Amino acid sequence: MTVMTTTDAAEATDETDQTAQTAGTPATGAATGPPARLWPVLLASYIGQFLVVLDVSVVNVALPSMRDSLHLSGSALQWVVNGYALTFAGFLLLGGRLSDLFGHKRVYLAGLTLFAAASLAGGLAQSDAVLISARAAQGIGAAFLAPVTLSLLTRALPEGAARTRAIAAWTAVGAAGGATGGLIGGVLTDLASWRWVLLINVPVGVAVGAVVLLWLRDSHRDAERPALDLPGAVLVTGGVGAVAYGITETESAGWSSGSALLPLLAGLAALAGFVAVEARTAQPLMPLRLFRIRAVAVGNVVTLVSMVGAFAMWYFLTLYMQTVLDYSAIRTGLAFLPHTAALILASQFAPRLTARFGSRTMTVAGGLLTAGGFLWQAAVLDADGTFVSAILGPALPMAAGIAILMALLTDVSTSGVGERDAGGVSGLVNTSRQIGAVLGLAVLGTIAASAAEHGTPEDGYARAFLAGGLITAAAMLLVPFLPRPGRGA
């Protein structure tokens, strides 16, 4: 799905040239310059992001078929989903930093190759062990891909309207991947087999890999092989993975259980050790000086808190439509098309509105629009709901608000950062989003389960949307601490 049109790409290229000419330098954007052609950057960035987000949700509707085909237990079925999510969250920071050290093209191709090979192994799996291992390997490949898809844009385009448009489109493509995952998974499962939910990544990966190999220019040209902060990589990967695992365990075991508390505490200890290592090492994986940039520090906090609420839209609406309204997998996917359309349209208008009203004003507007949509959704969820009354109405403000909010937060959180740190900061932004989503599923899932015990499932879903709306609105209280445009610190 290409959200940024050829015209947009041409405009972005023109603005890059104009910005460079104004500065009295060649139109190179950064130290090594953007690629000679912008379209390979856009294609690699958008399709890579679409694949990464799609595989978070596309397997959900195929889970019953996987269970019947491979005779999976309930815990094994859960790990088909969690195996991907945990390795994805755990390796994001490492993936982002590797692209800074070894070049975006090389890390992109490595991540894409691993992602496609793991998809092939999962699609051909004959046992739960092979399938779960393949999903975990997919997550690692996705963690290498995701930061590169963002840093490609931030390197190719200088800060300004062109980059804001490109990041808005990147956000919309990712959200569209999440929204259409159920539809694509349902169609492939019903018309072919659950195996094609994974196998479809192979031909797509080969096609995109060919474009990247032939037309994308690498960003790293140093003859000397850079050093990798191995202790920092081990600590942050293990720490983030352990925290994510502990959070997922709270949904079934509770926050006070040993199976949740032990990995949470171990993960936090590992992250504390990571900070200590980064403060002392000469070539840190994540330089702590980046957190002195106000846009990076505050932007990632707001992103994490916002994603706690934003994730509710996809997860709880899917449950509501399938368990309460008895929608089929395909019908559920089709019901999300208005959300997808609103995301795409809002992402296209966001840069123009931002140019007129300012990034902080529009970030707050996006957050309040999202929160208002959540509260509307909470008010209309009932057993007699129709598509128009219970889904279509709230979909428009929710999806439009999320598109504006995420696009602007991503743009702000990556501003004021030099080329050498673009991959690391992109990995940090993606990690904030992923941890926020995992935390949101655990917290709001607990709230929904508690409300459903004393009522109906739809009561639980409504309570989750109510909490999500309040959390999103609360996150907007931090927006005034973001720097004004042109001030990175």
Side-chain angles (χ1 to χ4, degrees):
M1 178 182 296
T2 304
V3 178
M4 194 179 203
T5 62
T6 305
T7 302
D8 292 329
E11 291 176 358
T13 306
D14 292 342
E15 291 187 30
T16 303
D17 294 340
Q18 292 168 6
T19 302
Q21 290 166 6
T22 301
T25 58
T28 56
T32 57
R37 298 184 182 93
L38 193 57
W39 71 265
V41 172
L42 300 180
L43 183 67
S45 176
Y46 295 160
I47 294 185
Q49 175 70 355
F50 185 82
L51 285 176
V52 164
V53 179
L54 177 73
D55 267 68
V56 175
S57 61
V58 72
V59 301
N60 289 341
V61 296
L63 291 176
S65 297
M66 292 178 178
R67 179 193 59 207
D68 296 340
S69 175
L70 299 181
H71 308 289
L72 301 179
S73 65
S75 61
L77 206 62
Q78 183 180 6
W79 275 105
V80 172
V81 177
N82 288 343
Y84 181 91
L86 294 179
T87 54
F88 181 37
F91 282 84
L92 274 168
L93 281 177
L94 177 59
R97 197 58 180 170
L98 285 176
S99 67
D100 290 331
L101 297 177
F102 299 104
H104 294 73
K105 180 175 180 178
R106 276 175 269 188
V107 174
Y108 189 105
L109 288 173
L112 185 65
T113 300
L114 178 58
F115 186 84
S119 298
L120 178 63
L124 300 177
Q126 300 298 321
S127 68
D128 55 356
V130 174
L131 179 58
I132 294 170
S133 298
R135 287 287 288 168
Q138 264 191 314
I140 298 174
F144 289 176
L145 269 177
V148 181
T149 64
L150 177 56
S151 58
L152 280 173
L153 296 179
T154 59
R155 287 189 67 261
L157 297 168
E159 294 179 23
R163 194 174 87 165
T164 300
R165 282 204 306 274
I167 290 178
W170 177 87
T171 302
V173 168
T180 58
L183 176 59
I184 295 173
V187 170
L188 290 174
T189 301
D190 288 349
L191 299 184
S193 163
W194 67 264
R195 297 182 182 279
W196 279 100
V197 169
L198 301 173
L199 292 175
I200 193 65
N201 293 324
V202 179
V204 175
V206 170
V208 177
V211 171
V212 171
L213 188 63
L214 294 174
W215 284 289
L216 191 66
R217 196 170 75 188
D218 208 341
S219 60
H220 186 75
R221 294 186 174 185
D222 293 346
E224 183 180 349
R225 183 182 179 89
L228 176 64
D229 174 19
L230 189 58
V234 172
L235 285 169
V236 75
T237 300
V240 173
V243 168
Y245 174 77
I247 292 173
T248 59
E249 279 294 289
T250 63
E251 188 179 3
S252 58
W255 289 90
S256 60
S257 67
S259 60
L261 279 178
L262 287 177
L264 277 172
L265 294 175
L268 292 174
L271 291 177
F274 169 70
V275 173
V277 168
E278 300 307 279
R280 291 176 173 83
T281 187
Q283 294 181 303
L285 185 72
M286 176 56 63
L288 299 183
R289 56 181 166 73
L290 294 177
F291 293 97
R292 292 196 293 268
I293 302 175
R294 188 146 53 105
V296 174
V298 180
N300 276 280
V301 172
V302 179
T303 297
L304 189 151
V305 178
S306 298
M307 280 303 296
V308 170
F311 190 75
M313 181 172 71
W314 315 115
Y315 182 75
F316 292 106
L317 270 184
T318 299
L319 293 177
Y320 171 69
M321 285 188 277
Q322 292 190 338
T323 62
V324 178
L325 301 184
D326 293 324
Y327 280 16
S328 66
I330 293 180
R331 188 178 180 186
T332 300
L334 290 171
F336 275 121
L337 291 182
H339 300 75
T340 306
L343 281 161
I344 294 173
L345 289 175
S347 71
Q348 299 304 298
F349 283 104
R352 301 174 189 177
L353 294 172
T354 301
R356 181 170 182 178
F357 298 106
S359 59
R360 294 203 298 188
T361 299
M362 287 307 302
T363 299
V364 172
L368 295 181
L369 191 62
T370 303
F374 282 170
L375 299 180
W376 183 0
Q377 187 71 77
V380 297
L381 283 180
D382 57 59
D384 299 321
T386 65
F387 171 75
V388 174
S389 66
I391 299 172
L392 180 60
L396 302 181
M398 274 197 303
I402 287 174
I404 295 171
L405 184 61
M406 289 297 103
L408 295 185
L409 284 175
T410 302
D411 192 21
V412 169
S413 300
T414 54
S415 62
V417 177
E419 180 196 359
R420 61 175 176 156
D421 296 314
V425 171
S426 297
L428 181 62
V429 171
N430 278 281
T431 300
S432 298
R433 296 174 72 163
Q434 184 67 12
I435 291 297
V438 173
L439 183 60
L441 179 59
V443 172
L444 300 183
T446 301
I447 292 173
S450 177
E453 285 182 1
H454 302 92
T456 62
E458 56 268 28
D459 292 333
Y461 306 146
R463 189 67 60 85
F465 273 104
L466 174 62
L470 296 176
I471 292 172
T472 304
M476 296 304 99
L477 297 175
L478 298 173
V479 172
F481 293 99
L482 288 169
R484 294 185 182 277
R487 300 180 187 176

